[in-house]
Amino acid sequence: MKWNTKQLDGFLNQPAENQPLFVCVYGDDSGLTTEYAQKLAEHVCEDINDPFLVNRFRVEDVVDNPTCLLEAVQTISFAAGHKLVYLQGVSKDLPANVKDKVNKAIVHVLDNLTEGTTFVFAASGYDAKLALIKQIEKHSDAVAVRCFQDNDISIKQLLQKRLADEGKTMQPDAMAFMLNNLGNDRAITQSEIDKLFVYTLHEDKITIQHCLDTLSAAPSVNAFKLCDAIG
């Protein structure tokens, strides 16, 4: 099956019932794919920290033992509850031979899904045209979720939610500055937002100066100051 992030958000906002057996979250934004995969893992598993319910693997584990994922999926959980097999570190930037081994191991899981277990992984940089993604989309018990990089709308929604949660406001020029300098990677965006809110912990209103003081390597800082001065 093919899902977009809105469909995944809808699933995450509902009780954990009728879980898919296999989910791949992929796209160019590695931070966003990782964030969604983590949210999904926490949603489908009763206790993400329970070693009897969760089997975590890295790419290196698969290279050392190509059958580890399949064995984990087919092993019955010792505890009552839905089991999670969680693979981390999959990326288009992996060496070709490593990526080939990992993709083959993932296909073996896809061909041997087991009720009561969900396999989840994020694939940073993977494209919709890849044979693996197309194979997942065609499977009735599997889901491929494509993530696109953040835009002004999604970043503004992140900021507005955080402002509401913290009981703060943000000046329009500060909002414009943040939208202009964030968005290439969700993990970096979240980190910069966290830093801003720590910096303004005791402030009710976030100003452009607060943003200039905290945002790392903002390419438009000098230009923004120049335009502001001219204005």
Side-chain angles (χ1 to χ4, degrees), residues 224-231:
F224 196 94
K225 286 182 175 179
L226 175 62
C227 292
D228 190 50
I230 294 173

Side-chain angles (χ1 to χ4, degrees), residues 18-92:
N18 301 318
Q19 294 118 326
L21 304 182
F22 183 111
V23 183
C24 166
V25 186
Y26 73 99
D28 292 329
D29 189 328
S30 62
L32 187 56
T33 58
T34 301
E35 179 181 312
Y36 266 121
Q38 180 66 25
K39 287 181 179 179
L40 184 63
E42 294 172 353
H43 185 70
V44 302
C45 186
E46 294 178 4
D47 184 356
I48 194 70
N49 296 313
D50 187 339
F52 294 108
L53 287 177
V54 181
N55 290 143
R56 296 176 184 268
F57 295 96
R58 301 288 303 175
V59 165
E60 296 81 4
D61 300 322
V62 180
V63 173
D64 292 338
N65 180 11
T67 64
C68 65
L69 299 179
L70 182 59
E71 292 169 355
V73 168
Q74 294 183 329
T75 301
I76 299 174
S77 171
F78 289 107
H82 197 83
K83 182 179 176 181
L84 170 70
V85 178
Y86 191 12
L87 174 62
Q88 297 171 291
V90 180
S91 168
K92 72 170 184 178

Side-chain angles (χ1 to χ4, degrees), residues 96-129:
N97 62 324
V98 173
K99 189 161 50 178
D100 184 57
K101 287 183 180 180
V102 172
N103 286 349
K104 286 181 179 178
I106 291 171
V107 170
H108 287 157
V109 172
L110 185 63
D111 291 337
N112 296 275
L113 299 181
T114 304
E115 289 291 337
T117 299
T118 294
F119 176 73
V120 175
F121 74 103
S124 172
Y126 274 41
D127 186 83
K129 297 179 181 179

Side-chain angles (χ1 to χ4, degrees), residues 146-164:
R146 185 173 187 178
C147 295
F148 294 93
Q149 287 185 324
D150 280 319
N151 53 32
D152 285 357
I153 294 176
S154 58
I155 297 173
K156 188 172 184 179
Q157 289 172 341
L158 282 173
L159 284 167
Q160 288 176 330
K161 183 179 185 306
R162 188 65 178 271
L163 288 166

